[in-house]
Amino acid sequence: MLKCNINGVDLEVPEGTKLIEAFLKAEQKIAHYCWHPGLSVAGVCRLCMCEIEGNPRLQIACNTEVQEGMVASNQSEKVKETVRWGMDFHLINHPLDCPICDQAGECGLQEQYMEYGQYTPSMAHAKVKKRKVVSLGSKVVLDSERCILCSRCVRFTDEVTKTHELGIFNRGDKSEIGTFHDKPLENKYAVNTVDICPVGALTSKEFRFKQRVWYLKDEKTVCPGCSTGCSVKVYHNQEGLFRVKPEYDAEVNEHWMCDEGRGVFDWVNRQNRQSYSVNAENMEKPSSSELKLILTAQQTVEEYESLFEYLKSSNKKVEVYYWKNNPDKFDDFDNLLIRGDKNPNTKGLLETAVKHDITLNPFSGFDGFESFEGDIWFILPENKAVYPLYEQYVEKALKLENNLTIFAVPKVKVDKTKKNISILPLKTYFEKDGHFLNFNGLKRQLKPGPLQVSSALALNEWVSFVKSDDFGDQVDLLSKRKSEGFRKKNEMTQTGGGL
Amino acid sequence: MSKAIESKLLTEYYDDPHYMSFEGYTKRKGYEVLKKAFKMKPEEIVAEVKASGLRGRGGAGFPTGVKWGFLPKNDKKRFLLCNADEGEPGTFKDRMMMEKAPHQLIEGMIISAYAVNAHKSYIYIRGEYTDCLRIVKEAIDEAYAKGLLGKNILGSGFDHDMDVYSGAGAYICGEETGMISSLEGLKGQPKLKPPFPAIQGYLKFPTIVNNVETLAAVIPIIEKGADFYKSLGTEKSTGTKLFSVSGDVVQPGNYEVELGTPLMDLIELCGGLKPGRSLKAVIPGGSSAPVLTADECVDATMDYENLSAKGSMLGSGAVIVIDDSHSMVDLLTVIMHFYHHESCGQCTPCREGTGWLEKLVKGILKGSGRVEDLDLILRVANNMKGRTICALSDAAALPALSFVEKFRLEFEQHIRTQSPVRERETTSHA
């Protein structure tokens, strides 16, 4: 460990630490654009200037390694003036179009201008014109005029994905980000470039112009897209969920996540959900003493616990079927984040099953169910997109004559006159408490966000209803519950409400 | 009086047209010094060069022997690179050296490579110098044929391979780390320092980068000894230097004189100013060096310490003489255009600042400038200085600062007389 002093704060850092990391560790503000903790040092924005005792010249903190006894500061007027000018150099050719820029509200230029700039601009000449609305690929759009050429995106494709799609072309103030030979930016992690872009130069085609970011709240949770279980932030408001961004997690995903994982919020939104229960009263009737249950590895450990406890304590003859989506690709891994097992809690399911001495029989359709006359519980996966046989199996299930209970997140179209089928809406990962175990057994906690569907319950909550005597009353109460903060789209204009 | 002050240490035989061939060169005692060098230990050569006080002739003036001393003390692979990407506006000495005496450069490089124990060297030649490229290539082939390159040179047991590499016309590739990037096949952009090239350079191996003239100057140092070399020039600027004198002199060209020669004598050596003209200013070390006014020129001597005391620098030795027929606004616009065009675009202050400076100066030239712009130029330039990875930002800032500070009246006068607003007022009065 090396002792150093940053702006008067004494601290110890491990050898090889860059000075900028020491500043951040000492909770001292330091301006920067090009430096990113997950990428190599570029040293080009020249904003992280600081004074180091014994060195007459200002140094950039990102390319300076901390030495034993180093005393550094960025509080002097000289440093502040330099940073102010650094900001000005960044902004002289930057368009002043914040009101129509999708990055506004979470823009590094806006934030750092308010923190370190606030000068009277002296640029009185025409700005450099560059390309606008350049499609870099199916997911990312570039606005070269807004780009500050920090090279983070280029370094990302060079160092993290190693796909080398991006480069900086031309030189001087004509420099622009671009793709080689117009070969598009198409890798499975492309939208990370949008996250790390400190300005509005790279925007995501999926998210841009959907919401102003200051209308969004974020919730830290776990991506349910595959067994890697990246830590993520989900951005939402009264109108639903809008985007997912990675959250730093040293043990799992570091700074990144895959593009596939960014799409896994859509099924949470109300319009895609089973939003009411059907024939819930079936659950009250005395039913058969035999039960077949089909489940996937998409529920939380807590849900499996309560379900398995219930199964063990009931006097029924129970068989549990485990539905794997793509057994042949189950162990695939792209050496970065994406795994073939598209379920967030396979490990959790297997461990809980062993703990409760439950045998998981492989599920491969309803063949062999013909002679069975007992009850069937079918817990549908919430991320149905990764189950290629989903539609086929659901269709088959709806034709069954057994007493069938379907626990579903996605909408299930059912003939309500068929009294043998009941459907109970489930909560998604975004709405419930609990935890997943990822592929190597790391526990990652979910945090319940606002409920999108009022009548939805988690599996363990349904189980406790089933166990209680007043199932019907509880379901009635449930139907009167309101979704939290649900607001109709364009409420203001439709009701003629003023501002 | 003039010719007497020339001190031809490197250029002694340049008038001989055969000097560029192997035969012509060996007739003039060529490759004799190499034989002497091989009888010395490498560290003796380094010590001799260090003792001679030789400073890098490319522009920065860093002591060559000290630079060589930065290499790690081991037998691991390292490279010697010759910087022949002579791009500083006003400089044309390396070109003449390569065209007239390619073997001199090769001999200097073999001695230097032997001293630093490099078994491979490259000569990075400016893209526009197609003749140099051909001549040096042919000379290298000749040297290979005569056993002066390759395995076991002259029975010394020292192996060395040499190759040329052509730039593509970017000024920034004359910066040593920019040149290394270019040589590696990357975009020619300077690299962050540290690590310095002597520790981690070409392909991450320790690398020494020297200018053509520097490498050639190693020959007389080894031949005649450090003491002789030190007897030339001044205490801190030893030896001789080639000056590329251009601009408003009767006989522009390359002149080799001892360092410390008075600037006015050098101008005199070039035949003086054109008849009827008076001296206005001199840029003493290439376009990035701060300009000297005529008054400052009177007691200026061409050495590192005198020019640095005057706030300028010796640079690459490109002396640009400006007489009273030129507008300083015009000249600064040309210089600013050059640096704007050549900025690699990596560091923000340089990328944006060079463009801003050009716009400001051009605005003044075209008549849309404001007097406030002069202060703005100074502020912009001051904030570009020392803020970037390489020195290009400084190279653009220094002339802007010195031109505007030293010729402010002329700039103001230009703004007032050229301003479109003024023109309208004059018409209304008339």
Side-chain angles (χ1 to χ4, degrees):
Chain A
M1 297 295 270
L2 301 167
K3 286 197 182 74
C4 61
N5 181 297
I6 309 289
N7 285 349
V9 180
D10 284 311
L11 74 157
E12 281 194 5
V13 294
E15 239 164 276
T17 305
K18 298 282 184 194
L19 195 49
I20 193 167
E21 294 169 312
F23 266 90
L24 297 173
K25 197 176 172 198
E27 296 182 346
Q28 297 297 309
K29 285 177 184 165
I30 184 157
H32 65 276
Y33 286 123
C34 64
W35 180 78
H36 186 282
L39 300 170
S40 66
V41 173
V44 296
C45 76
R46 316 304 291 179
L47 277 180
C48 59
M49 290 283 182
C50 64
E51 278 173 313
I52 298 167
E53 226 175 68
N55 195 329
R57 279 175 64 136
L58 296 184
Q59 297 294 319
I60 50 169
C62 65
N63 194 44
T64 309
E65 277 190 12
V66 175
Q67 308 288 328
E68 176 62 30
M70 193 179 252
V71 180
S73 77
N74 64 352
Q75 298 292 304
S76 71
E77 205 39 53
K78 186 181 172 192
V79 174
K80 286 180 176 168
E81 181 65 10
T82 306
V83 175
R84 238 185 327 266
W85 270 91
M87 284 300 310
D88 203 5
F89 284 127
H90 275 89
L91 285 165
I92 55 167
N93 285 314
H94 187 87
L96 256 181
D97 61 353
C98 305
I100 56 155
C101 175
D102 210 45
Q103 189 83 3
E106 54 178 9
C107 170
L109 284 174
Q110 288 181 332
E111 282 168 18
Q112 304 208 36
Y113 175 78
M114 294 312 286
E115 188 70 42
Y116 309 104
Q118 302 227 21
Y119 50 81
T120 312
S122 30
M123 173 74 171
H125 289 82
K127 295 183 187 234
V128 177
K129 293 270 177 284
K130 290 183 188 172
R131 298 181 302 163
K132 298 191 77 87
V133 207
V134 185
S135 173
L136 290 185
S138 60
K139 293 173 265 189
V140 182
V141 181
L142 165 72
D143 183 321
S144 278
E145 287 185 354
R146 291 183 190 145
C147 176
I148 57 167
L149 296 161
C150 67
S151 79
R152 277 181 176 191
C153 54
V154 179
R155 281 176 283 148
F156 176 80
T157 55
D158 283 349
E159 293 162 15
V160 181
T161 60
K162 299 188 173 69
T163 45
H164 311 283
E165 289 110 332
L166 295 176
I168 296 180
F169 298 84
N170 293 332
R171 69 179 184 213
D173 59 9
K174 291 186 180 68
S175 302
E176 273 187 60
I177 299 289
T179 50
F180 290 96
H181 305 292
D182 289 321
K183 204 178 129 222
L185 174 66
E186 295 293 357
N187 64 60
K188 289 179 174 173
Y189 297 87
V191 187
N192 285 297
T193 58
V194 175
D195 294 340
I196 57 176
C197 180
V199 299
L202 297 179
T203 45
S204 144
K205 283 187 179 174
E206 190 169 42
F207 175 70
R208 68 201 302 248
F209 308 134
K210 291 278 192 322
Q211 279 288 324
R212 302 285 3 198
V213 293
W214 50 86
Y215 290 137
L216 292 174
K217 284 180 212 152
D218 56 81
E219 219 77 52
K220 198 179 163 288
T221 183
V222 182
C223 175
C226 76
S227 61
T228 303
C230 299
S231 290
V232 295
K233 263 184 184 170
V234 177
Y235 288 75
H236 63 93
N237 64 16
Q238 306 96 310
E239 289 168 19
L241 276 61
F242 285 91
R243 68 171 176 190
V244 181
K245 278 190 172 205
E247 175 78 6
Y248 179 72
D249 188 331
E251 290 163 295
V252 183
N253 52 319
E254 292 184 351
H255 305 274
W256 325 112
M257 72 178 291
C258 69
D259 293 348
E260 209 181 308
R262 289 168 196 271
V264 297
F265 63 85
D266 213 34
W267 79 73
V268 182
N269 282 331
R270 197 165 198 263
Q271 60 271 21
N272 302 322
R273 296 280 293 275
Q274 178 67 30
S275 56
Y276 49 86
S277 47
V278 178
N279 296 331
E281 61 276 10
N282 282 5
M283 301 296 286
E284 284 187 280
K285 277 189 271 177
S287 45
S288 155
S289 63
E290 279 181 82
L291 174 66
K292 286 197 181 199
L293 184 138
I294 302 145
L295 50 68
T296 65
Q298 295 203 348
Q299 311 306 127
T300 62
V301 171
E302 284 74 4
E303 286 174 300
Y304 294 133
E305 286 274 357
S306 110
L307 179 69
F308 293 158
E309 256 170 44
Y310 167 72
L311 296 180
K312 279 287 166 190
S313 61
S314 70
N315 305 320
K316 292 177 180 176
K317 184 179 172 240
V318 182
E319 269 181 67
V320 179
Y321 289 86
Y322 168 32
W323 182 12
K324 259 185 176 179
N325 48 343
N326 48 354
D328 49 322
K329 289 182 189 159
F330 222 62
D331 298 322
D332 285 6
F333 180 48
D334 73 344
N335 289 320
L336 202 50
L337 292 174
I338 302 173
R339 283 174 201 276
D341 176 6
K342 295 292 174 199
N343 301 289
N345 202 18
T346 303
K347 195 109 180 172
L349 169 65
L350 300 179
E351 283 186 6
T352 320
V354 170
K355 187 177 156 194
H356 290 273
D357 194 23
I358 298 270
T359 316
L360 299 173
N361 306 300
F363 176 70
S364 50
F366 290 98
D367 307 332
F369 278 55
E370 296 89 354
S371 55
F372 180 66
E373 288 183 354
D375 294 350
I376 297 175
W377 283 15
F378 192 9
I379 303 163
L380 295 181
E382 55 184 72
N383 186 6
K384 63 175 188 177
V386 296
Y387 279 77
L389 298 172
Y390 177 89
E391 300 294 343
Q392 191 188 323
Y393 285 171
V394 171
E395 202 179 309
K396 279 244 174 82
L398 293 176
K399 285 179 187 152
L400 292 170
E401 298 295 328
N402 306 56
N403 226 350
L404 171 70
T405 309
I406 296 178
F407 296 86
V409 167
K411 248 181 208 158
V412 180
K413 278 186 188 150
V414 66
D415 181 2
K416 279 186 190 168
T417 55
K418 276 194 88 175
K419 289 294 178 193
N420 65 322
I421 297 175
S422 49
I423 298 174
L424 303 176
L426 272 183
K427 281 183 183 173
T428 59
Y429 75 101
F430 178 67
E431 297 154 306
K432 65 194 171 194
D433 217 340
H435 74 269
F436 291 147
L437 294 184
N438 84 346
F439 71 99
N440 64 0
L442 275 174
K443 182 179 165 179
R444 284 294 176 268
Q445 191 71 30
L446 297 175
K447 282 184 199 140
L451 201 57
Q452 304 295 309
V453 167
S454 59
S455 53
L457 287 181
L459 197 57
N460 45 352
E461 293 166 325
W462 281 120
V463 169
S464 69
F465 273 28
V466 172
K467 283 201 285 194
S468 69
D469 305 329
D470 52 348
F471 186 87
D473 298 344
Q474 299 240 36
V475 174
D476 275 352
L477 274 178
L478 208 56
S479 63
K480 286 176 189 131
R481 187 166 70 167
K482 274 200 164 164
S483 334
E484 281 167 45
F486 184 77
R487 186 172 78 103
K488 250 195 242 157
K489 225 175 181 177
N490 299 331
E491 203 173 57
M492 198 76 83
T493 49
Q494 281 167 4
T495 56
L499 292 167
Chain B
M1 65 156 270
S2 61
K3 296 290 170 195
I5 70 160
E6 274 191 276
S7 174
K8 292 187 168 182
L9 204 57
L10 299 174
T11 57
E12 192 177 354
Y13 305 113
Y14 277 26
D15 294 335
D16 176 0
H18 301 295
Y19 196 56
M20 66 177 286
S21 69
F22 180 79
E23 281 70 29
Y25 186 64
T26 40
K27 211 172 275 172
R28 303 287 191 179
K29 297 183 293 185
Y31 290 112
E32 290 300 321
V33 183
L34 180 62
K35 288 172 195 158
K36 182 183 175 189
F38 280 144
K39 288 190 190 110
M40 296 164 74
K41 283 183 185 149
E43 48 273 26
E44 284 171 356
I45 300 177
V46 176
E48 200 70 18
V49 170
K50 211 177 258 179
S52 75
L54 174 67
R55 294 171 67 163
R57 303 296 194 224
F62 194 82
T64 307
V66 178
K67 199 181 207 177
W68 290 1
F70 288 152
L71 282 171
K73 309 272 178 288
N74 56 32
D75 287 338
K76 295 213 176 105
K77 194 171 177 178
R78 69 263 319 260
F79 288 96
L80 174 71
L81 306 182
C82 169
N83 188 343
D85 190 65
E86 188 179 48
E88 183 71 17
T91 319
F92 42 86
K93 62 182 177 68
D94 295 344
R95 173 180 173 174
M96 180 182 81
M97 294 186 78
M98 286 186 284
E99 284 176 356
K100 297 216 184 249
H103 286 284
Q104 187 185 37
L105 172 62
I106 294 168
E107 184 178 4
M109 281 183 72
I110 301 170
I111 298 172
S112 306
Y114 174 66
V116 300
N117 195 26
H119 296 291
K120 175 83 198 185
S121 61
Y122 290 96
I123 306 173
Y124 187 101
I125 300 178
R126 175 177 169 165
E128 290 90 334
Y129 286 0
T130 46
D131 282 350
C132 290
L133 188 72
R134 178 180 50 79
I135 292 165
V136 172
K137 240 185 202 166
E138 283 170 8
I140 289 176
D141 290 344
E142 272 181 305
Y144 267 109
K146 305 287 179 189
L148 290 158
L149 283 171
K151 296 269 174 239
N152 191 16
I153 299 167
L154 300 177
S156 65
F158 179 68
D159 306 335
H160 190 76
D161 285 304
M162 195 179 288
D163 213 339
V164 289
Y165 189 91
S166 171
Y171 172 72
I172 195 60
C173 292
E175 200 274 349
E176 63 178 5
T177 53
M179 190 184 103
I180 290 171
S181 295
S182 171
L183 202 58
E184 286 171 338
L186 304 172
K187 191 173 176 183
Q189 287 186 327
K191 298 178 186 207
L192 277 173
K193 285 160 271 184
F196 287 90
I199 307 297
Q200 201 186 91
Y202 178 57
L203 303 177
K204 305 215 163 159
F205 289 103
T207 303
I208 289 293
V209 183
N210 284 137
N211 175 257
V212 175
E213 190 185 346
T214 316
L215 290 164
V218 171
I219 303 172
I221 291 171
I222 300 306
E223 184 191 2
K224 299 179 178 162
D227 287 336
F228 168 77
Y229 197 77
K230 258 196 320 206
S231 71
L232 302 169
T234 70
E235 192 195 336
K236 285 180 180 162
S237 310
T238 55
T240 63
K241 169 100 186 78
L242 269 81
F243 289 101
S244 308
V245 187
S246 63
D248 301 318
V249 288
V250 173
Q251 247 188 335
N254 284 310
Y255 294 88
E256 186 180 10
V257 295
E258 275 182 51
L259 283 161
T261 302
L263 171 58
M264 298 312 282
D265 289 1
L266 182 65
I267 294 174
E268 211 46 49
L269 181 64
C270 308
L273 296 170
K274 288 172 184 163
R277 290 292 170 195
S278 61
L279 186 67
K280 186 173 186 178
V282 172
I283 301 174
S287 68
S288 59
V291 67
L292 298 177
T293 61
D295 289 346
E296 287 171 316
C297 293
V298 174
D299 61 344
T301 55
M302 299 306 286
D303 51 74
Y304 295 100
E305 56 273 27
N306 180 289
L307 289 175
S308 129
K310 287 195 173 342
S312 187
M313 58 192 195
L314 188 76
S316 57
V319 181
I320 302 168
V321 182
I322 301 160
D323 74 17
D324 58 351
S325 67
H326 290 290
S327 151
M328 298 308 273
V329 184
D330 195 5
L331 292 180
L332 184 61
T333 312
V334 174
I335 296 177
M336 289 302 107
H337 171 74
F338 176 79
Y339 288 107
H340 176 206
H341 185 251
E342 294 294 346
S343 167
C344 84
Q346 227 183 157
C347 306
T348 311
C350 174
R351 177 181 72 233
E352 307 294 340
T354 49
W356 197 358
L357 284 180
E358 193 199 348
K359 282 175 190 166
L360 284 164
V361 180
K362 213 174 190 171
I364 293 172
L365 182 74
K366 300 273 179 199
S368 62
R370 308 163 298 173
V371 179
E372 309 85 280
D373 286 349
L374 295 176
D375 289 325
L376 186 55
I377 289 174
L378 298 181
R379 287 210 305 278
V380 171
N382 266 319
N383 281 289
M384 288 166 63
K385 216 169 55 174
R387 297 282 186 270
T388 49
I389 291 176
C390 79
L392 195 146
S393 195
D394 297 46
L398 294 175
L401 286 170
S402 61
F403 269 66
V404 173
E405 273 167 359
K406 293 181 181 173
F407 295 90
R408 187 165 179 121
L409 264 180
E410 189 181 335
F411 276 82
E412 282 186 16
Q413 209 171 12
H414 189 94
I415 291 168
R416 291 188 205 286
T417 52
Q418 293 285 311
S419 162
V421 182
R422 273 289 157 183
E423 275 166 27
R424 262 204 306 282
E425 279 176 13
T426 342
T427 358
S428 68
H429 281 299

